[in-house]
């Protein structure tokens, strides 16, 4: 694995770790409006990344061979990605930060803080896969995917991972968990990303012909997280109505779109 790929896989993890470190510099819990804005921002980044870095390259890879039917790998992979995340959501015990209701199987035997971390882990799996499959496409010269485009996706994921790290570590501290444990919980939730990325790259080496499907699979998984988790967190009911989540979404979408076009 060359230096470009190694650096690219670690950038998102660094973003999560820096966000988790907020427990050492912030005294109070994150303001509800700020949290909504951060969730909206993360959703915007993921939607833009799914479109420009995953779905469009997926169709570009097969356009010469499939012509007007080049949408097939994108649609098939996208749907399978949705189903995969639905399976994880139904079977892995977890609890979203803005909810008092645990989800998944056997959730009654786990602490709330553990389930909050598991919720973020589920969230991070498709992000790691997205970075991994994009770097795999660049490494194997598949379609129009290049290292600059993969780096743009990695940076975009890292930007939205920074607030994500804070969103998981700060509530844990507020719930009575020590600063060190809260920090390492945030870091641990982000560690799944480079692991998922490496596994995706290894899988891609074996199945290069289905790389377009893997790209759209990651896009589908990310869209599931956006619709099922991030948008409800950004627009859900609170103490007062606010459009900050919508504005955050717009900002995240625009920034990720600019990064992808400029670097890709």
């Amino acid at each position: 694995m060359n230096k470009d790929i190694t650096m690219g896989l670690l950038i998102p993890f660094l973003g999560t770790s820096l966000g988790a470190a907020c427990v050492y510099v912030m005294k109070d819990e994150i303001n509800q409006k700020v949290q909504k804005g951060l969730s909206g921002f993360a959703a915007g980044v993921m939607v833009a990344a799914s479109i420009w870095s995953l779905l469009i390259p997926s169709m570009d890879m097969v356009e010469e061979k499939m012509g007007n039917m080049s949408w097939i790998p994108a649609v098939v992979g996208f749907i399978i990605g949705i189903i995969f995340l639905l399976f994880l959501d139904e079977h892995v015990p977890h609890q979203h930060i803005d909810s008092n209701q645990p989800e998944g199987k056997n959730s009654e035997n786990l602490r709330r803080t553990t389930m909050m971390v598991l919720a973020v882990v589920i969230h991070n799996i498709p992000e790691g896969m997205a970075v991994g499959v994009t770097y795999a496409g660049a490494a194997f010269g598949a379609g129009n995917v290049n290292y600059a485009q993969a780096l743009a996706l990695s940076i975009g994921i890292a930007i939205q991972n920074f607030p994500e790290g804070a969103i998981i570590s700060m509530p844990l501290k507020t719930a009575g968990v020590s600063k060190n444990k809260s920090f390492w919980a945030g870091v641990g939730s982000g560690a799944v990303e480079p692991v998922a990325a490496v596994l995706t790259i290894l899988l891609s080496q074996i199945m290069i012909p289905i790389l377009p499907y893997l790209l759209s699979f990651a896009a589908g998984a990310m869209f599931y997280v956006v619709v099922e988790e991030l948008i409800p967190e950004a627009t859900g009911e609170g103490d007062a109505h606010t459009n900050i989540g919508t504005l955050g979404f717009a900002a995240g979408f625009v920034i990720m779109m600019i990064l992808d076009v400029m670097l890709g």
Side-chain angles (χ1 to χ4, degrees):
M1 191 175 297
N2 64 42
K3 292 182 179 179
D4 289 334
I5 295 178
T6 302
M7 180 184 68
L9 300 189
L10 291 178
I11 288 176
F13 177 62
L14 177 61
T16 305
S17 301
L18 291 175
C22 287
V23 294
Y24 296 113
V25 297
M26 295 177 64
K27 294 182 179 180
D28 302 321
E29 63 181 4
I30 299 176
N31 179 275
Q32 187 180 68
K33 289 186 178 181
V34 173
Q35 185 165 320
K36 288 179 180 294
L38 295 177
S39 295
F41 181 87
V45 169
M46 292 177 73
V47 169
S50 296
I51 295 172
W52 270 274
S53 299
L54 299 172
L55 290 174
I56 292 177
S58 171
M59 291 183 280
D60 287 344
M61 285 182 186
V62 297
E63 184 176 12
E64 185 175 342
K65 292 182 179 180
M66 302 184 69
N68 292 335
M69 304 300 288
S70 60
W71 53 267
I72 291 178
V75 170
V76 171
F78 187 90
I79 292 174
I80 295 175
I82 292 284
I83 294 172
F84 174 69
L85 258 291
L86 178 62
F87 174 83
L88 291 183
D89 199 36
E90 291 288 333
H91 290 81
V92 177
H94 63 282
Q95 183 171 336
H96 298 301
I97 294 170
D98 65 337
S99 173
N100 294 320
Q101 184 66 40
E103 301 178 26
K105 292 185 177 180
N106 302 319
S107 57
E108 66 275 2
N109 298 322
L110 296 175
R111 297 172 58 185
R112 182 173 185 271
T113 52
T114 300
M115 290 190 291
M116 287 169 63
V117 173
L118 287 173
V120 178
V121 167
I122 295 173
H123 176 149
N124 285 342
I125 288 174
E127 295 176 12
M129 293 175 62
V131 173
V133 73
T134 307
Y135 270 98
F140 304 142
N144 296 323
V145 180
N146 55 52
Y147 282 112
Q149 188 175 27
L151 178 61
L153 175 61
S154 188
I155 293 173
I157 296 295
I159 291 173
Q160 69 97 17
N161 276 356
F162 179 83
E164 186 176 277
I167 286 174
I168 186 63
S169 62
M170 291 298 294
L172 291 177
K173 187 188 75 169
T174 304
V177 180
S178 70
K179 289 183 179 181
N180 288 337
K181 287 184 178 180
S182 297
F183 168 73
W184 286 111
V187 171
S189 69
V192 68
E193 288 194 17
V195 173
V198 170
L199 291 176
T200 304
I201 290 176
L202 294 176
L203 178 64
S204 300
Q205 290 178 349
I206 301 172
M207 297 188 237
I208 294 177
I210 67 166
L211 199 57
Y213 293 89
L214 292 177
L215 284 167
S216 54
F217 174 93
M222 289 174 70
F223 258 85
Y224 181 92
V225 171
V226 168
V227 176
E228 196 273 340
E229 178 184 344
L230 294 178
I231 289 180
E233 289 178 3
T235 61
E237 293 296 328
D239 296 334
H241 174 71
T242 175
N243 292 319
I244 190 67
T246 303
L247 297 176
F249 179 93
F253 187 92
V254 168
I255 289 174
M256 185 63 224
M257 178 175 61
I258 292 172
L259 276 174
D260 196 276
V261 174
M262 287 182 62
L263 297 180

